[in-house]
Amino acid sequence: MDSRDIKVPPQGEIIQILGDFLEVAITSIVFLKGIYPSGAFERRRYMNAVVQKARNPELQDYIHSTVSGLLPFIQKGLVERVAVIFFNSDNVQLERFVFKLTVNQSYESKVENSDLEFALRAFLIKLSVSEPLTKVLPPDCKWEITAYFQTLPSSSTSKNAESWIPTDTKQWQQPPVITPIKSMTSRPLNLQLYLEHPSLSEPNHYE
């Protein structure tokens, strides 16, 4: 392949690739947990890996709009973690899939699409076989996407700031039990994916 045929994206495109990846990864997590019937998803290929795509328009829109709304804050380095939280009817958190990410704000070089996509593809493959690490959830379980900001954005600095509201789920009082799933380290982007479960000493601990 001629080196001129390799598309080298600027940082903005790296953020977009990350956004597309988060949408696919979050959909894969929801599929993995069996919150919806398997017929609510269909198999697709993404980054040369078999993944699940939501067929329900509302589910698609929730994941897409949430991730799209986060991208400007991720690009500015304001978002420390993005979590997919599963909780019961009492709003008690039972399990969290956490993406801890750092985008190098001063990185000005270009990165080949293939390099970044190869690294992110490994996360999707690892996710597809991570069910043994997870907990069985009750039938009335719900879920949401939550972002943890290093600094809360204000409406004076971002028109999207007012669309973010505090979660109603009950936070854990004890440090969680962490199970690593996958991580990558590179100059433009660092990413970790891990599971969090409540400590055995956590009040209202669910088994």
Side-chain angles (χ1 to χ4, degrees):
M1 178 183 293
D2 193 313
S3 61
R4 291 173 298 180
D5 295 333
I6 301 176
K7 188 177 181 181
V8 184
Q11 189 186 52
E13 189 169 345
I14 294 174
I15 293 294
Q16 188 57 56
I17 292 173
L18 176 61
D20 293 341
F21 161 78
L22 285 174
E23 287 191 41
V24 173
I26 290 171
T27 304
S28 298
I29 290 170
V30 176
F31 172 81
L32 181 75
K33 296 306 299 178
I35 299 296
Y36 306 100
S38 59
F41 302 86
E42 58 185 3
R43 290 160 63 92
R44 292 288 178 89
R45 294 196 71 86
Y46 172 74
M47 292 184 177
N48 202 29
V50 176
V51 299
Q52 299 293 330
K53 176 182 172 62
R55 300 176 65 180
N56 182 281
E58 292 183 4
L59 178 57
Q60 281 187 36
D61 182 67
Y62 171 63
I63 296 174
H64 174 72
S65 61
T66 302
V67 172
S68 296
L70 274 176
L71 290 184
F73 302 113
I74 293 176
Q75 188 164 10
K76 294 175 183 177
L78 297 177
V79 177
E80 181 183 13
R81 289 168 291 157
V82 177
V84 181
I85 301 177
F86 296 90
F87 55 95
N88 63 17
S89 57
D90 295 322
N91 283 349
V92 175
Q93 296 187 24
L94 306 177
E95 186 170 64
R96 292 194 295 233
F97 285 77
V98 182
F99 297 88
K100 185 175 182 180
L101 43 90
T102 304
V103 177
N104 187 347
Q105 301 300 304
S106 60
Y107 189 78
E108 297 180 353
S109 301
K110 295 181 179 180
V111 179
E112 294 181 3
N113 283 29
S114 57
D115 290 342
L116 187 56
E117 291 182 356
F118 181 81
L120 294 176
R121 176 177 176 269
F123 282 79
L124 299 175
I125 295 174
K126 195 75 172 180
L127 257 179
S128 67
V129 295
S130 64
E131 185 176 6
L133 304 175
T134 68
K135 301 288 187 182
V136 177
L137 301 178
D140 60 349
C141 185
K142 301 178 182 179
W143 70 282
E144 68 179 17
I145 303 169
T146 298
Y148 296 85
F149 288 80
Q150 296 188 18
T151 303
L152 289 177
S154 63
S155 56
S156 62
T157 58
S158 173
K159 63 181 181 180
N160 296 322
E162 294 180 353
S163 63
W164 290 94
I165 58 175
T167 178
D168 291 327
T169 59
K170 299 173 183 177
Q171 302 300 304
W172 294 328
Q173 299 178 27
Q174 303 294 327
V177 177
I178 296 176
T179 304
I181 296 179
K182 185 65 180 173
S183 65
M184 65 168 283
T185 302
S186 66
R187 291 181 62 192
L189 171 68
N190 293 335
L191 180 63
Q192 292 178 308
L193 172 59
Y194 52 89
L195 269 170
E196 290 185 341
H197 293 113
S199 166
L200 293 176
S201 59
E202 180 70 31
N204 299 319
H205 174 73
Y206 172 86
E207 281 291 352

